[in-house]
Amino acid sequence: MNEVVEPVATGVITGGWPYIIGAYGLTWAGLLAFLTRAVLLGRARPPESP
């Protein structure tokens, strides 16, 4: 029984940083776009009459 066994994973995640940075950037861009739209729509609204 001299079988060659492949090494078992060490449990450490490597790589993937471009995806993490991209997701972080998209999150902040979406939040900024949402807040900008909310502010612009809030300013464009005519004043309420009593």
Side-chain angles (χ1 to χ4, degrees), residues 20-43:
I20 294 170
I21 294 169
Y24 189 77
L26 284 175
T27 299
W28 280 106
L31 183 60
L32 182 63
F34 174 78
L35 291 176
T36 301
R37 183 173 182 257
V39 167
L40 290 177
L41 287 178
R43 288 184 183 175

